[in-house]
Amino acid sequence: MTILAIEHVQLAMPAGEEEKARAFYRDLLGIAEKQKPPHLAKRGGCWFEDGPVKIHLGVEAEFRPARKAHPALVVDDVRALAERLKAAGVRVVEDEPLEGWDRVYADDPFGNRIELMTPKG
């Protein structure tokens, strides 16, 4: 048995905040929304998928943001994306350098930590 890939990452969100999720993941990050199957859609939340990038947000009754655990997304221009996020009022945080990468952390609308990375060179 060999694990081949991560199929998707699921993050939690509070109930009724799907429009905030769409504004961040679809509109700012540019990940297309995928309709959830009807039997799952009634639970709330959103799915965002573009090729191998799949982030699902599920409603958690007693929601608490993931402040340490996080997905890391490879982007083509982390600096341009960081500026777009800042202009939209998103909290963007610089971190210690990581060899071979230019990276920042951003908070989604619910306080979940998202790492954004561009390879150097």
Side-chain angles (χ1 to χ4, degrees):
M1 189 225 39
T2 302
I3 296 172
L4 301 175
I6 294 175
E7 202 282 332
H8 70 272
V9 171
Q10 173 133 345
L11 297 172
M13 62 175 278
E17 300 289 342
E18 287 79 5
E19 286 308 313
K20 287 183 181 178
R22 289 180 181 106
F24 182 78
Y25 289 95
R26 183 192 63 200
D27 300 342
L28 288 174
L29 294 185
I31 307 169
E33 183 173 5
K34 178 179 180 178
Q35 291 298 326
K36 293 176 70 171
H39 68 286
L40 297 178
K42 63 185 175 186
R43 299 179 187 174
C46 303
W47 287 4
F48 301 94
E49 299 186 1
D50 187 4
V53 177
K54 297 179 183 182
I55 298 178
H56 296 177
L57 280 93
V59 171
E60 192 169 303
E62 295 184 29
F63 171 75
R64 285 183 301 193
R67 301 299 309 141
K68 185 70 174 172
H70 63 274
L73 305 176
V74 177
V75 302
D76 61 358
D77 187 343
V78 71
R79 292 295 148 193
L81 181 53
E83 288 307 313
R84 178 174 23 175
L85 294 172
K86 288 178 190 176
V90 174
R91 179 176 174 259
V92 176
V93 177
E94 301 286 333
D95 197 25
E96 295 178 21
L98 181 62
E99 186 175 341
W101 295 94
D102 188 7
R103 67 189 182 130
V104 299
Y105 290 98
D107 290 344
D108 80 359
F110 319 114
N112 292 313
R113 183 181 191 190
I114 309 293
E115 186 172 6
L116 303 167
M117 312 173 72
T118 298
K120 288 184 178 179

